[in-house]
Amino acid sequence: MSTPRQPLRVAICTKRDLAGALILNRVLPRLAGDSVTVLLSDKTRPVENSVPELAEMKFLERDLPVDTLFPLIDRDPDAETPLATFDGLGRRHDVAIEVVDDINGADGEARLRRFAPDVMLSARFSLIFRRNVFAIPRFGTYNVHPGALPRYAGLFAPMRCLLDGGEAIGCTLHRVDDGIDTGPVIGIGWLPVDPARSLLWHVVNTYDAGLDLFLAMLDGLRRGEAPVPRMQDRSQRVYGSLPGREAFDAFRAKGLKLFDPDEYMEILRGFMPGQSMAHLQGIAGAAAEKVGASCCCARA
């Protein structure tokens, strides 16, 4: 007779954008039977509007899908789609999904203490955890970082890996500590680089390998098996901030693409309920083409 699956209380922290929705669509079906709460960050940085390519990525990752397409899709809550919007995910999996502005403040901390998670996952969450919060779960808080640590700490790690000519992009599962991307590593999964694919495609697909590691760790916790982390070699650490003009010029010079309209539509179609919503595909496709026409990286 097989051992009954031990339920866990899991808090998931991710970003209110396209990649965050894809992350939840991958993880939530695997947590059936667990108690789950989802907290979304909605933080933006002024610099995102000062560099054209950053503004274009923001439009494609957040403004178009989350602020325009998702509300239109949500007008028909009974429509069947392979992937669900944030509202749809809440209904589909009976999970509370809320936006949080300050995870470490009194309200954020109280919210987590009321839920009393056994474990917390951070994946693309744009707020930094302080000890008063990341120490709450009895099994710890874990981050899925879209770069191989310690070499690709910080922001835009997939882009930096592509610029370096890497053959695969790492996705690191590590325990959160008092630093940024400094905690002990549980494991690193890998996404093979496809030179024909765009940066956006690599970004949204990199998380899968790290999420698989997290889900495997949860299965171990259910069996009473604690993960065995290893400390990072800090001498190999390279921390990257948001890329500027020179980085995007170098990206274009290597013949790399920021995004591809066909790839983008391939991702968005997963949220769209078939022919009855063909007009949504037209909206998304026209917007993607418009951005592509103005983006030098998209044409490279």
Side-chain angles (χ1 to χ4, degrees):
M1 181 179 296
S2 61
T3 303
R5 181 179 185 275
Q6 295 297 313
L8 293 170
R9 299 183 66 80
V10 184
I12 303 175
C13 299
T14 189
K15 192 171 184 177
R16 184 179 167 270
D17 70 355
L18 179 61
L22 293 170
I23 286 167
L24 292 177
N25 273 280
R26 184 173 183 85
V27 173
L28 289 178
R30 298 281 299 274
L31 300 181
D34 295 311
S35 296
V36 180
T37 191
V38 175
L39 300 178
L40 303 177
S41 64
D42 203 20
K43 177 182 177 181
T44 60
R45 300 175 176 87
V47 70
E48 290 181 84
N49 293 318
S50 65
V51 179
E53 288 84 356
L54 291 177
E56 287 155 354
M57 291 292 281
K58 175 178 174 291
F59 174 78
L60 294 167
E61 293 175 340
R62 191 178 320 161
D63 300 345
L64 176 58
V66 177
D67 295 336
T68 302
L69 286 179
F70 285 7
L72 292 174
I73 293 168
D74 291 334
R75 292 176 66 180
D76 185 4
D78 297 323
E80 295 183 3
T81 58
L83 302 175
T85 67
F86 291 110
D87 285 352
L89 285 161
R91 292 190 299 269
R92 185 175 293 184
H93 300 284
D94 193 23
V95 169
I97 300 179
E98 302 176 81
V99 174
V100 59
D101 296 321
D102 181 5
I103 190 66
N104 303 297
D107 290 344
E109 179 179 350
R111 181 181 299 179
L112 280 171
R113 290 194 182 280
R114 285 195 301 271
F115 180 70
D118 295 310
V119 64
M120 184 155 63
L121 167 67
S122 170
R124 201 173 171 81
F125 197 56
S126 51
L127 303 177
I128 303 301
F129 294 96
R130 302 303 178 199
R131 180 168 289 274
N132 65 303
V133 165
F134 73 69
I136 290 175
R138 63 185 180 120
F139 293 130
T141 296
Y142 296 85
N143 182 43
V144 170
H145 174 72
L149 294 177
R151 172 65 181 83
Y152 290 101
L155 304 176
F156 268 68
M159 179 178 173
R160 291 157 54 202
C161 184
L162 291 174
L163 277 170
D164 289 344
E167 295 183 355
I169 300 174
C171 190
T172 306
L173 176 66
H174 71 95
R175 187 156 182 164
V176 173
D177 63 6
D178 290 300
I180 300 176
D181 300 334
T182 55
V185 171
I186 306 302
I188 302 178
W190 299 91
L191 172 72
V193 166
D194 184 344
R197 296 283 195 171
S198 69
L199 172 62
L200 181 59
W201 183 89
H202 284 94
V203 168
V204 299
N205 284 283
T206 292
Y207 289 97
D208 287 354
L211 295 173
D212 286 344
L213 291 173
F214 175 75
L215 292 167
M217 185 190 75
L218 288 189
D219 289 340
L221 290 174
R222 299 181 206 283
R223 297 189 297 267
E225 301 169 6
V228 182
R230 57 177 176 79
M231 301 304 295
Q232 296 186 41
D233 180 356
R234 299 291 182 90
S235 69
Q236 302 299 310
R237 175 179 169 86
V238 180
Y239 185 88
S241 56
L242 283 174
R245 175 77 275 137
E246 291 184 0
F248 284 111
D249 286 346
F251 196 78
R252 181 180 66 251
K254 290 179 71 73
L256 299 169
K257 296 184 294 185
L258 190 67
F259 90 104
D260 179 89
D262 291 335
E263 287 177 1
Y264 188 60
M265 282 306 306
E266 179 183 340
I267 296 168
L268 292 184
R269 283 191 191 101
F271 295 93
M272 299 180 185
Q275 296 301 317
S276 64
M277 299 290 275
H279 62 289
L280 292 184
Q281 298 189 32
I283 293 171
E289 292 287 355
K290 183 177 180 180
V291 174
S294 67
C295 178
C296 56
C297 290
R299 298 197 309 267

